[in-house]
Amino acid sequence: MVTNLEDVEKEVRDDAKGFSLKRHSGSKTSNLRSAIRKHLGIAQFVGDQLAKAVATSFPAASPIWTVASFAIQTAQKMSADYDKVEQLFVEAGEFLKTLKILEGRVPDNTNYVQRVTDIIESIMVVFAVHTKYMHEHRAVKFLKSLSGQDDELAGAYSNVTRALEKLSQSSTAMALRNTEDIKLFLTSEQEQVASLEQQVNDHFDVLNEKSDTILAHTTTLQDMQKESDEKSQERFEIQMRYLEKKFANVAIGGKQSQSQAKDPAARKPAALNQVKQWCALNMDGVEGDPMGLVRKFKKGIVDVKYLWFFEHDKYVSWATGRIPLLFVRGAPGVGKSILAQFVTARLASEEYALRGRSISASFYFQESKDAMRTITNCLYCLAFQIARKDSSYCEQIAGQMRDGLALYDNILRVEYLWTELFAKKFGPRSETSLYLILDGIDEIDTQELSLLLDLLTRISEEKLKIFVLITGRTDVTFDPAKLKPEEIEMAKPNMKLDLSLFAHERCHSLARIDKFTKRTKRVIETKLAKKADGMLYVDLALHHLDFIGKEPLIRKALEKLPDGLDALCEHIVSQLYESRPAEYHQPLRVLYAALVYARRPLSIGEANQLVLLSVERAMLKVEDEVQGHSSIFLEYIVNNDEESSGSEDESATDDDASAASDGNSVSGVLYFQERALRDIIRSQNFDSGRLVPRSFDAHLMMMDASISLLCTDTTLSVQYAACFWDWHFLQLEINEASEDQIIRVLVLISRLLRNENDSLAKIERSNRPNQDFGTLDERTVIRKAGFEAIIPWLERAVSCATLNADLSKWVRKFLQDPRSILVDLAQKHVENWLQAAKWTESCEAFQWASKTLTLCESLNEKPVPDLSSERIREIAGMGSAVTDSFKFHQALGWALGNNEFYQAAIGECDLALKCTLSEQDHFKVWVFRGEAGLCLPDAETDVFKQAHADILEGFSRLAIAFPEPLSDADKSLLWEGWNTRAESELKLGLYSEAIKSYEEIGKLAPEARAYILDVTTSTLERQGDFSGIITKVKEASREDRVAFFAYYGVAGHTRVQKAVSISASEAKADLLREYQELIAYLDRTKCGGSMRLRLAYFHREVLEDNAGAMTLVSEILDGDVCKHPSGSDDMDALIYARFCYSELVYEEFVSSFELSSKKKLMEGLEKLPERRLGKAFGLELERSSQTATILARLTRKMGPSEKYYNVMQETFMICYNGLSDATLNNDSDSLRLLARLLLLAGLERDARIAVSAQFSRLEDDASVGYMSEDEDDNEHRDIAIEGHDNERDGTEATTGDTKGEIEARDATQLSDLLTRNESSSQTQTTANLKKEATSTEATTTLEDLSGEEITCDGCRTSFQNWTTSPIYLCAMCASCDLCPSCREKRIAQTNGASNWTWREYCGPNHEYIMGPVEGWQGIKNGVMTIGGEKVEFREWLRQVKEERWVDVWREFWKGA
């Protein structure tokens, strides 16, 4: 049953298919019918033509054809009707598909529904008619067609057509109606849509506002976090600086009980680091890397060739070692320094490496920088350069320092340094030649130059393998009787090509000139090459032209340039001065005069002060001038070390403050770009109308400005004025002075010596004592030379008519009794001493008074009395203060205590307490009295109790003495008071009270909190309060904890780890999180390496988590850097990470039962040298490391035997070479590695001898020489034994050490007392251990000790000799030493004892090598004594190598 249009459509498709099949059934008749139908039209056309042709001959043809033609047309119509039927089926199907779209959605309109119904009905009628025809014969249809009647079918088709037209019209009307309805709907809903749109927009506006707020908050939080991190980092750095300053004599991380990592593989980088630190420590004005003094190769000179020089016969002779000294002479600015750089680079190039083994180093003297004008700094810098290039030299120097030789002294004389660092190392027999390039010897003073030339004289006299090239100006002369070097002069005729190449290169390096046309640049290059007399002329002229900038103007300026450097300087200076407005002239004169004639380079702040003092309303700002017009001559260097040479930390702060107050935004030190420029400007002595005044006027101006600043009530920095006012006075030639100038000079001196505006106090607080000219610690306002130089000025002034009465009186007094002036001066210092409110200022003023009196007495050549308590009281009596006043007794007590007269200081405190005191004075006196009591020699408990009582009395009225808010002075007093109180409480065992006192310091001084955390946790550890340690660490801020762990190193980590190990288990988790947070914090600056190592040990020793430890040490080994939190490279952390890794591998290897696992572990250990960080630090191959014995043990187990042999043999030869060379600092490390190897090979007695020797110096001083290589160096002798390639079938390739038993191969090496194996060591009793330790004590200490220190890994006790206890070196760990007690605990734990210690150390079932060997009496002058028998150490070493070691391997390879 049909229920929807889909069914109707299906019926229509079926009917259409049936009709088509009925019409074309596929039979032959049907096919013939179709063929005829298709060709009926053609037949009719042909028939019509034939009928016309034959009608004339056969008239009947036409009527006959007419009948036939009608029949054909009828057939065609019938066929067309059937075609229409088929087409109707198709159209009906399409209509039904269209109608199907409207199914269920027919418009609610009766007329429209009727139209659709009419179409369906009309189609049905057509189908009905055709259906009827299908049931009738074609003949019936043909007959009806003949009659022309087919009205029914035609009517049916006509009805369909009309119905479709009506439906089309209705559809159009419905579409129009729907359009109108939509318009009405949209109009009615418009307000609602608009309302919804507004709501949506409002919603999005709110979201946008919230997003902006969230973004702003996020940005704010990010900024706050960044600011917090920066402040945290700043606080950490402040604490580190505080700790470094407080413990200046202790290296960072040095306050720890663990000694340096001992590993031969690290000896080269470790030795270089040691030499670096030593050089930096002893070099004046240098912090950090000594290479900072090595001049870098200038850019823009690479195209210069200097072929004329390098082909010169004298240079060739020098470079090939035929002449020792070559002097390159030249005028200022000719290019000597550039040439020196080329020589340095050429010597280091590959082509010169072929001429033999040689090393080169260079130094550039520079007069304007203190650090670069001393011979001492030069020698240290050269030595460090050599150490960087030659590891043997480096290790020998480090060994000398490590052995405590005089080389470690930081006040060495130049001659001694030359002998130890150069002469002894590059003697006549040395296989290495040393080439030194010393540039600018004319820039050092006469005394230093004389020292240098004396050293160079020794080269020829002693026939040293040292070859020196020096450069200097033409006025440098030599004493022919002492030194006559070969000379080469640099002059323009030789340098035409070089000048042209240099001009070409510099034209392309200057921004403006580089943009000019090629033609213009060629003109510039050609002109300058003709006019120039040296490289500096070219450089200066090009900067001058580049400043002009415009190409047309440059062409004109180029024509005006004069020939020669002197004339060019005058030309540029004139333009610089004359082109400026008149109000700039005097400030410029002052600035250039100061920079040309200053004793040391001035900071920008000091230069600005000078300009402001000399010129009212100065329009000139120094930093702008240096960056602008004067940039052709001047430059400034920010944070240069030279700043520190003229001032201390506080002065630098003053400079910064003064600069800020003057509106300066730039800090730095001012320099002339080239010394030659300064000298040329100075030598020209322009008249008063030019830029730079004459020397006399300039020095007088500097002296005037300095004394005026000192005698003015100002907060500006007075460092330069205090240090160098009298130096400028000494530069004044009295013969050049006019009468007015003489009076001006004496007025200035009298103002200062009369203490105008407390000028002496400013000098007392200055850095003047460190700026002496040849005398150490000369605390006098005017030095002896200056004082004596005043006399001629006074004599000239007496006859001056314009001398006023007051000055005349002072001058005559001075002339009559010069000592009286100094006595008056000393009295003023005494007044400052007795009136000072601060302890430091008081003590400093006393030193100035004492030194001034010493100067006074030296004028009469009287002996200076020693400083005693009576002498101090005598000096105090010179003051005008009342002798029974509080301030008098306080100042006198401070001076006595500062000079270690503590009992006398206590007496003064008692007298002070009898005076009327303020509450704060009461505090100061009692605390100082207690401090003096604590310092009394041989003090006992009763004295400490009295001192503590005194301190408590001082604190009794604390709130009244120090009301809030506290000033900085108050905080300083309280800091000292609380610290003194804590020290007294510690001496009395009052630990809880001491902790509270230290915590009060932390409240006053945040920068000291890491120090406070250390002393409080240390105190808690002494109490046994481990939970208190955890609490203190938790309460500390992050930066405090970082600074604590960073500075106090192993000691701090061990203390905290011990605390959490003993406490509850959750404390371990808390510390683990703390470590992870600290590492994340330090990783921001790539300084987390050391902290990772400490966490790795925490995992391994406390948490017993070897997997976690392995992950952490792998991160270190595969990292890019390993730095201490302070920022320095941490070599020890890397070495210990390698140790820890190898030990973890060994432990896992021993516990593993799978071949694949053991193989993987051994492969990992073999690849240890290839880990990224070790390669970056330059560690040697693993055979030279303490980890080599672990690899040997693994190889012995896994095989093959040949591989095991190679590891043992290579490691043995490295140890042998390390012990037989001239390098001293690797002996202990090599001995420890050798001992492990010998024990593994079964040579136990030799192993014990090696361990015993680790505290001794192995060589006599006389036998140490550089480059003394053993004839067997690098020898690897294979032992040719029959059956070498045959391995034991089914057995381990060992030397007899089976199942832990050590069997000696030589009967003479066995001792019942010393024989030990693993099984016996596990069951050995405590009594036996004590007996063994007692029987092996050293019988004498008469030996040459090296200063080597060994630390017990269990209790952290340190040992430097064998007089106290034996020590056990673990043969299986990479680095582990145990005292007898800790070894006993370790064995007991292996045997099942519980709670044996708070952490794991060493490992179960390990073997140990006990030192010293029985009868050990040490090594003296290279000879060791054992049981009364003497043998040279070298001879013992030879016997081991050539006899016993050979026998071991013969036995090893013996048999099948």
Side-chain angles (χ1 to χ4, degrees):
M1 180 179 180
V2 177
T3 58
N4 50 44
L5 287 175
E6 187 173 355
D7 295 337
V8 174
E9 184 184 3
K10 183 175 182 300
E11 288 294 330
V12 171
R13 285 199 304 270
D14 294 342
D15 289 343
K17 185 176 181 181
F19 179 79
S20 179
L21 289 173
K22 202 155 188 74
R23 183 182 182 192
H24 305 290
S25 61
S27 62
K28 292 182 179 180
T29 304
S30 177
N31 293 336
L32 178 61
R33 238 185 357 253
S34 297
I36 293 173
R37 176 177 61 81
K38 293 178 181 178
H39 297 87
L40 284 178
I42 298 174
Q44 184 174 358
F45 174 76
V46 174
D48 288 343
Q49 300 301 320
L50 290 174
K52 290 178 183 180
V54 300
T56 54
S57 59
F58 184 57
S62 182
I64 294 172
W65 179 248
T66 299
V67 175
S69 176
F70 182 76
I72 290 172
Q73 292 176 3
T74 301
Q76 286 178 329
K77 290 180 179 179
M78 186 178 293
S79 178
D81 287 339
Y82 278 100
D83 289 339
K84 287 182 179 180
V85 172
E86 283 189 308
Q87 182 64 31
L88 184 62
F89 276 114
V90 174
E91 292 177 355
E94 294 298 326
F95 174 73
L96 289 173
K97 289 180 181 179
T98 302
L99 196 61
K100 186 178 178 182
I101 296 173
L102 296 175
E103 184 175 11
R105 296 180 181 84
V106 178
D108 187 15
N109 188 286
T110 305
N111 293 330
Y112 190 81
V113 173
Q114 185 61 48
R115 294 289 183 266
V116 175
T117 305
D118 290 345
I119 293 176
I120 294 173
E121 289 179 351
S122 62
I123 291 173
M124 292 176 65
V125 170
V126 174
F127 287 157
V129 172
H130 280 289
T131 301
K132 182 177 70 174
Y133 287 166
M134 289 172 64
H135 290 288
E136 296 177 356
H137 296 89
R138 287 180 179 268
V140 178
K141 174 70 175 62
F142 179 73
L143 292 174
K144 289 186 177 181
S145 296
L146 289 177
S147 63
Q149 297 179 356
D150 195 8
D151 297 334
E152 185 177 6
L153 186 60
Y157 276 116
S158 177
N159 290 337
V160 173
T161 302
R162 285 196 299 273
L164 287 172
E165 291 176 355
K166 291 178 180 180
L167 180 61
S168 176
Q169 294 172 358
S170 298
S171 296
T172 302
M174 285 302 299
L176 180 61
R177 176 181 173 181
N178 289 339
T179 301
E180 293 300 322
D181 289 343
I182 290 170
K183 288 181 179 180
L184 291 174
F185 174 77
L186 291 176
T187 301
S188 64
E189 296 297 323
Q190 184 175 4
E191 293 182 1
Q192 185 176 356
V193 171
S195 177
L196 289 173
E197 181 181 7
Q198 185 61 39
Q199 293 179 20
V200 171
N201 290 336
D202 292 343
H203 179 68
F204 277 109
D205 289 341
V206 172
L207 287 179
N208 288 336
E209 291 178 1
K210 291 183 177 180
S211 298
D212 292 340
T213 303
I214 292 172
L215 181 61
H217 281 254
T218 302
T219 304
T220 302
L221 288 173
Q222 291 175 344
D223 293 341
M224 291 174 62
Q225 182 63 42
K226 182 179 179 181
E227 183 179 358
S228 175
D229 290 342
E230 290 174 351
K231 288 183 177 179
S232 177
Q233 181 67 21
E234 182 180 359
R235 288 193 294 269
F236 165 69
E237 292 172 354
I238 289 172
Q239 293 210 49
M240 292 301 292
R241 288 196 295 270
Y242 168 81
L243 292 169
E244 291 170 26
K245 185 176 181 180
K246 182 174 179 62
F247 304 105
N249 60 330
V250 182
I252 291 176
K255 291 181 69 62
Q256 50 185 280
S257 58
Q258 180 165 316
S259 58
Q260 281 190 331
K262 304 180 185 305
D263 195 5
R267 68 176 185 263
K268 289 182 179 179
L272 181 61
N273 188 55
Q274 189 177 2
V275 173
K276 175 182 176 181
Q277 293 179 354
W278 174 68
C279 289
L281 176 66
N282 289 284
M283 294 172 73
D284 295 328
V286 177
E287 295 181 5
D289 192 354
M291 290 298 290
L293 298 188
V294 179
R295 196 174 197 184
K296 307 298 187 296
F297 202 94
K298 275 191 175 182
K299 295 180 180 179
I301 61 173
V302 293
D303 282 348
V304 182
K305 303 301 182 184
Y306 285 116
L307 295 178
W308 67 273
F309 178 82
F310 291 115
E311 294 174 356
H312 199 288
D313 292 341
K314 292 181 179 179
Y315 173 80
V316 173
S317 297
W318 176 82
T320 53
R322 286 178 287 177
I323 58 175
L325 185 62
L326 179 62
F327 177 46
V328 179
R329 184 189 300 275
V334 73
K336 300 182 294 296
S337 295
I338 297 176
L339 174 64
Q341 290 178 265
F342 270 92
V343 174
T344 303
R346 191 177 181 90
L347 290 175
S349 64
E350 291 183 359
E351 59 180 337
Y352 275 84
L354 299 177
R355 73 182 188 282
R357 190 158 191 261
S358 64
I359 306 170
S360 63
S362 63
F363 190 81
Y364 167 59
F365 292 104
Q366 192 170 352
E367 185 188 40
S368 60
K369 298 181 181 180
D370 287 341
M372 299 181 70
R373 66 179 182 215
T374 67
I375 302 302
T376 304
N377 276 11
C378 170
L379 296 181
Y380 281 121
C381 185
L382 293 172
F384 182 63
Q385 293 178 62
I386 300 168
R388 281 165 52 95
K389 297 179 180 181
D390 191 285
S391 59
S392 297
Y393 177 91
C394 177
E395 291 175 33
Q396 188 175 10
I397 298 300
Q400 288 180 262
M401 293 187 295
R402 192 172 181 178
D403 290 342
L405 300 183
L407 189 58
Y408 211 16
D409 193 350
N410 61 358
I411 55 172
L412 298 176
R413 301 267 46 92
V414 169
E415 295 83 357
Y416 185 80
L417 278 177
W418 173 263
T419 301
E420 293 296 324
L421 299 178
F422 302 96
K424 284 187 177 181
K425 308 303 185 292
F426 300 95
R429 298 182 180 181
S430 172
E431 296 181 2
T432 301
S433 298
L434 175 63
Y435 284 79
L436 302 178
I437 297 92
L438 306 180
D439 179 34
I441 64 169
D442 52 285
E443 300 212 26
I444 55 180
D445 60 38
T446 304
Q447 183 179 359
E448 292 284 313
L449 179 59
S450 177
L451 281 174
L452 176 62
L453 297 181
D454 288 343
L455 298 180
L456 298 181
T457 302
R458 291 177 56 184
I459 295 176
S460 297
E461 292 175 352
E462 301 172 15
K463 298 181 180 180
L464 304 178
K465 289 287 188 69
I466 300 176
F467 305 91
V468 183
L469 182 148
I470 56 178
T471 70
R473 294 182 177 177
T474 54
D475 56 358
V476 175
T477 58
F478 304 96
D479 183 358
K482 294 183 178 180
L483 189 67
K484 191 175 181 180
E486 296 290 341
E487 296 185 9
I488 300 178
E489 184 171 1
M490 293 186 68
K492 183 174 181 179
N494 297 327
M495 299 174 57
K496 291 182 179 179
L497 176 61
D498 299 317
L499 291 172
S500 179
L501 291 173
F502 183 60
H504 175 77
E505 183 69 22
R506 295 296 284 139
C507 281
H508 290 283
S509 64
L510 295 171
R512 295 177 180 175
I513 294 180
D514 189 40
K515 297 177 181 179
F516 293 169
T517 62
K518 292 183 178 179
R519 183 173 180 275
T520 299
K521 284 189 281 191
R522 281 197 298 270
V523 171
I524 293 174
E525 294 165 12
T526 303
K527 289 280 187 181
L528 293 185
K530 291 180 180 179
K531 294 175 178 289
D533 55 358
M535 298 295 186
L536 184 56
Y537 181 102
V538 175
D539 196 48
L540 186 64
L542 285 173
H543 275 93
H544 175 62
L545 297 175
D546 189 64
F547 186 80
I548 296 173
K550 296 182 180 180
E551 195 165 348
L553 297 177
I554 282 182
R555 287 179 174 271
K556 295 180 181 179
L558 190 62
E559 297 298 328
K560 296 180 180 179
L561 291 181
D563 295 350
L565 181 60
D566 289 7
L568 177 64
C569 281
E570 183 177 357
H571 173 75
I572 296 175
V573 166
S574 299
Q575 288 196 355
L576 173 66
Y577 184 77
E578 295 170 359
S579 63
R580 309 293 288 280
E583 59 267 24
Y584 281 88
H585 288 177
Q586 184 58 21
L588 280 172
R589 284 170 56 83
V590 172
L591 174 62
Y592 272 85
L595 296 180
V596 168
Y597 293 103
R599 176 66 176 84
R600 64 161 171 82
L602 300 176
S603 69
I604 287 182
E606 289 170 336
N608 271 318
Q609 288 177 26
L610 189 61
V611 171
L612 289 172
L613 285 170
S614 304
V615 183
E616 294 184 3
R617 294 186 178 183
M619 303 295 294
L620 182 75
K621 280 193 174 182
V622 173
E623 59 271 29
D624 295 338
E625 180 67 23
V626 174
Q627 296 177 27
H629 292 80
S630 293
S631 62
I632 191 170
F633 292 125
L634 306 178
E635 64 179 346
Y636 68 87
I637 301 176
V638 179
N639 295 328
N640 190 271
D641 289 337
E642 197 67 35
E643 182 76 16
S644 63
S645 69
S647 59
E648 291 179 328
D649 293 343
E650 61 176 316
S651 67
T653 304
D654 290 340
D655 286 346
D656 294 340
S658 64
S661 66
D662 293 339
N664 298 327
S665 59
V666 179
S667 62
V669 181
L670 295 170
Y671 295 97
F672 274 89
Q673 291 188 12
E674 295 289 343
R675 174 202 175 202
L677 297 175
R678 187 201 64 186
D679 291 348
I680 291 171
I681 293 174
R682 175 190 290 174
S683 64
Q684 289 176 339
N685 273 330
F686 300 129
D687 57 38
S688 59
R690 306 299 293 273
L691 179 61
V692 181
R694 66 191 180 107
S695 173
F696 184 95
D697 294 333
H699 284 296
L700 180 57
M701 182 196 70
M702 293 292 290
M703 177 186 172
D704 193 338
S706 297
I707 294 180
S708 297
L709 184 61
L710 290 168
C711 296
T712 303
D713 187 10
T714 179
T715 58
L716 298 176
S717 172
V718 297
Q719 285 299 318
Y720 185 89
C723 294
F724 301 114
W725 75 267
D726 54 339
W727 180 83
H728 286 287
F729 168 66
L730 290 172
Q731 311 309 310
L732 300 177
E733 291 291 339
I734 190 171
N735 296 329
E736 299 180 23
S738 65
E739 182 175 311
D740 289 341
Q741 288 172 331
I742 290 174
I743 295 176
R744 181 182 173 189
V745 167
L746 294 178
V747 167
L748 290 171
I749 294 176
S750 67
R751 289 177 65 191
L752 183 64
L753 299 185
R754 290 174 176 183
N755 196 26
E756 182 178 328
N757 269 323
D758 204 18
S759 57
L760 297 185
K762 298 185 181 75
I763 297 178
E764 290 170 358
R765 294 191 291 268
S766 74
N767 195 40
R768 181 179 173 87
N770 295 324
Q771 303 296 326
D772 294 317
F773 316 125
T775 305
L776 294 176
D777 193 25
E778 189 178 3
R779 285 176 165 82
T780 55
V781 171
I782 184 168
R783 297 170 179 87
K784 185 176 182 180
F787 188 83
E788 293 174 343
I790 295 177
I791 304 299
W793 292 80
L794 298 170
E795 294 172 346
R796 285 278 305 271
V798 171
S799 59
C800 291
T802 56
L803 193 65
N804 63 53
D806 181 60
L807 183 60
S808 176
K809 181 180 178 181
W810 181 82
V811 168
R812 295 182 187 280
K813 179 183 178 181
F814 202 135
L815 287 172
Q816 291 173 0
D817 186 6
R819 293 179 70 254
S820 65
I821 301 298
L822 290 176
V823 172
D824 292 343
L825 195 60
Q827 287 177 334
K828 293 179 177 62
H829 286 305
V830 171
E831 295 293 340
N832 290 338
W833 163 34
L834 299 178
Q835 296 299 322
K838 295 181 179 179
W839 178 84
T840 53
E841 293 178 359
S842 177
C843 293
E844 188 66 26
F846 168 76
Q847 293 294 328
W848 283 80
S850 175
K851 295 294 182 181
T852 302
L853 289 174
T854 300
L855 174 62
C856 179
E857 291 164 351
S858 69
L859 294 177
N860 293 334
E861 298 182 355
K862 291 183 178 180
V864 179
D866 295 333
L867 189 65
S868 62
S869 59
E870 292 74 16
R871 170 73 171 173
I872 295 174
R873 295 181 190 277
E874 180 184 343
I875 296 173
M878 295 176 61
S880 61
V882 180
T883 56
D884 60 350
S885 67
F886 159 72
K887 281 196 172 183
F888 177 86
H889 293 301
Q890 175 185 255
L892 185 54
W894 280 346
L896 289 167
N898 190 51
N899 289 278
E900 300 183 2
F901 301 111
Y902 299 116
Q903 192 63 58
I906 292 175
E908 292 300 324
C909 290
D910 292 337
L911 293 173
L913 290 170
K914 295 178 181 180
C915 303
T916 303
L917 305 178
S918 68
E919 296 296 339
Q920 200 168 102
D921 292 337
H922 175 272
F923 171 84
K924 289 191 291 185
V925 173
W926 278 110
V927 170
F928 180 71
R929 190 183 195 283
E931 184 178 3
L934 294 175
C935 295
L936 286 171
D938 303 323
E940 297 181 353
T941 303
D942 291 341
V943 177
F944 293 151
K945 287 182 178 180
Q946 181 59 51
H948 180 60
D950 292 344
I951 295 168
L952 290 181
E953 177 61 30
F955 275 85
S956 61
R957 290 177 283 186
L958 193 65
I960 303 174
F962 297 96
E964 297 288 346
L966 297 175
S967 65
D968 290 341
D970 292 342
K971 291 179 180 178
S972 178
L973 281 174
L974 287 171
W975 199 107
E976 294 294 339
W978 284 113
N979 191 65
T980 303
R981 177 172 172 172
E983 290 177 2
S984 69
E985 289 161 342
L986 286 176
K987 287 182 180 292
L988 294 173
L990 304 174
Y991 298 127
S992 299
E993 290 80 356
I995 290 172
K996 293 177 182 178
S997 298
Y998 280 127
E999 289 174 343
E1000 292 296 329
I1001 297 176
K1003 296 176 183 177
L1004 295 168
E1007 69 276 6
R1009 286 175 182 164
Y1011 163 70
I1012 302 306
L1013 184 59
D1014 173 65
V1015 293
T1016 53
T1017 54
S1018 176
T1019 304
L1020 289 167
E1021 184 180 23
R1022 293 166 68 177
Q1023 278 186 290
D1025 185 2
F1026 296 105
S1027 61
I1029 294 176
I1030 298 172
T1031 301
K1032 293 299 180 186
V1033 173
K1034 283 184 177 180
E1035 291 174 351
S1037 67
R1038 181 177 61 185
E1039 55 269 19
D1040 295 344
R1041 295 193 299 270
V1042 172
F1044 166 69
F1045 284 128
Y1047 188 82
Y1048 294 99
V1050 175
H1053 287 281
T1054 301
R1055 188 182 307 145
V1056 176
Q1057 290 181 13
K1058 180 179 181 180
V1060 300
S1061 177
I1062 294 174
S1063 303
S1065 59
E1066 57 268 17
K1068 296 179 182 179
D1070 292 342
L1071 183 58
L1072 182 62
R1073 286 192 297 271
E1074 173 65 22
Y1075 270 122
Q1076 292 168 345
E1077 291 176 4
L1078 292 179
I1079 289 172
Y1081 173 75
L1082 292 170
D1083 277 347
R1084 298 177 311 150
T1085 53
K1086 296 184 178 181
C1087 295
S1090 300
M1091 200 69 72
R1092 271 188 177 81
L1093 179 65
R1094 301 321 330 160
L1095 178 56
Y1097 278 113
F1098 180 64
H1099 273 278
R1100 183 185 179 195
E1101 297 177 347
V1102 179
L1103 302 180
E1104 299 183 20
D1105 175 18
N1106 284 359
M1110 179 66 82
T1111 299
L1112 288 161
V1113 295
S1114 295
E1115 289 177 0
I1116 297 174
L1117 296 173
D1118 293 328
D1120 294 322
V1121 293
C1122 182
K1123 291 185 176 294
H1124 188 271
S1126 64
S1128 59
D1129 288 335
D1130 196 341
M1131 175 65 72
D1132 279 355
L1134 171 60
I1135 296 171
Y1136 277 115
R1138 290 157 64 94
F1139 288 174
C1140 185
Y1141 175 84
S1142 59
E1143 291 168 356
L1144 289 169
V1145 167
Y1146 180 74
E1147 290 176 16
E1148 189 173 349
F1149 182 91
V1150 171
S1151 61
S1152 175
F1153 297 96
E1154 297 181 1
L1155 175 62
S1156 59
S1157 176
K1158 287 180 178 289
K1159 184 177 180 181
K1160 184 177 180 181
L1161 290 167
M1162 190 175 78
E1163 289 175 351
L1165 190 57
E1166 287 177 327
K1167 294 178 180 178
L1168 182 58
E1170 300 301 318
R1171 304 295 279 265
R1172 180 189 304 176
L1173 191 57
K1175 295 177 69 176
F1177 269 95
L1179 297 188
E1180 295 182 347
L1181 296 176
E1182 201 61 25
R1183 302 294 181 271
S1184 63
S1185 172
Q1186 301 289 359
T1187 62
T1189 54
I1190 296 179
L1191 178 61
R1193 288 180 180 273
L1194 268 58
T1195 309
R1196 183 181 67 176
K1197 184 72 174 179
M1198 300 295 294
S1201 297
E1202 184 178 5
K1203 189 174 185 180
Y1204 168 63
Y1205 166 77
N1206 288 336
V1207 172
M1208 293 284 287
Q1209 183 69 10
E1210 290 174 13
T1211 308
F1212 177 84
M1213 290 307 303
I1214 289 173
C1215 293
Y1216 176 81
N1217 293 333
L1219 293 170
S1220 58
D1221 63 15
T1223 304
L1224 303 178
N1225 77 317
N1226 63 345
D1227 289 346
S1228 176
D1229 301 341
S1230 299
L1231 285 168
R1232 294 165 64 83
L1233 179 56
L1234 178 63
R1236 291 191 179 94
L1237 283 175
L1238 294 175
L1239 182 66
L1240 190 57
L1243 303 176
E1244 184 179 6
R1245 185 170 186 274
D1246 287 319
R1248 292 193 61 186
I1249 291 174
V1251 167
S1252 302
Q1254 63 181 320
F1255 289 133
S1256 304
R1257 294 191 64 219
L1258 306 182
E1259 299 288 346
D1260 180 3
D1261 286 344
S1263 66
V1264 178
Y1266 184 49
M1267 303 299 181
S1268 58
E1269 299 179 3
D1270 192 275
E1271 60 181 359
D1272 293 322
D1273 226 18
N1274 300 318
E1275 176 186 359
H1276 294 270
R1277 265 175 49 184
D1278 290 332
I1279 304 171
I1281 300 176
E1282 186 178 357
H1284 173 91
D1285 295 325
N1286 299 328
E1287 298 182 6
R1288 300 177 184 177
D1289 187 20
T1291 62
E1292 290 187 13
T1294 70
T1295 62
D1297 182 11
T1298 305
K1299 296 181 180 180
E1301 296 179 354
I1302 303 175
E1303 176 183 351
R1305 296 304 179 189
D1306 192 328
T1308 62
Q1309 299 175 35
L1310 295 178
S1311 170
D1312 293 338
L1313 176 63
L1314 304 177
T1315 303
R1316 180 184 299 105
N1317 54 44
E1318 288 186 9
S1319 60
S1320 64
S1321 67
Q1322 296 175 23
T1323 59
Q1324 192 169 16
T1325 64
T1326 303
N1328 289 337
L1329 281 172
K1330 292 181 179 178
K1331 180 179 179 181
E1332 184 183 51
T1334 303
S1335 66
T1336 56
E1337 289 184 357
T1339 59
T1340 181
T1341 58
L1342 299 177
E1343 59 177 325
D1344 297 329
L1345 297 176
S1346 64
E1348 189 69 32
E1349 185 177 274
I1350 303 296
T1351 301
C1352 172
D1353 283 73
C1355 61
R1356 304 297 187 192
T1357 303
S1358 295
F1359 303 89
Q1360 290 185 316
N1361 53 56
W1362 297 111
T1363 59
T1364 55
S1365 169
I1367 302 174
Y1368 296 85
L1369 172 65
C1370 180
M1372 295 176 173
C1373 293
S1375 178
C1376 179
D1377 298 89
L1378 298 178
C1379 66
S1381 176
C1382 290
R1383 177 176 178 268
E1384 180 180 353
K1385 292 177 182 178
R1386 174 68 263 186
I1387 294 175
Q1389 194 272 341
T1390 302
N1391 293 332
S1394 59
N1395 299 324
W1396 64 292
T1397 184
W1398 64 269
R1399 66 181 178 90
E1400 288 279 347
Y1401 57 79
C1402 200
N1405 303 318
H1406 281 200
E1407 298 175 80
Y1408 300 92
I1409 309 170
M1410 190 185 77
V1413 69
E1414 184 180 13
W1416 178 261
Q1417 293 177 283
I1419 300 177
K1420 187 75 173 177
N1421 294 329
V1423 177
M1424 58 185 184
T1425 305
I1426 306 176
E1429 182 181 351
K1430 297 183 180 295
V1431 59
E1432 289 188 1
F1433 177 82
R1434 282 186 176 272
E1435 175 60 21
W1436 169 81
L1437 188 63
R1438 186 198 63 77
Q1439 291 176 7
V1440 171
K1441 174 178 178 286
E1442 298 180 3
E1443 298 174 13
R1444 294 188 282 279
W1445 185 257
V1446 172
D1447 292 342
V1448 163
W1449 293 107
R1450 289 183 184 276
E1451 184 69 21
F1452 178 80
W1453 293 116
K1454 185 171 65 178

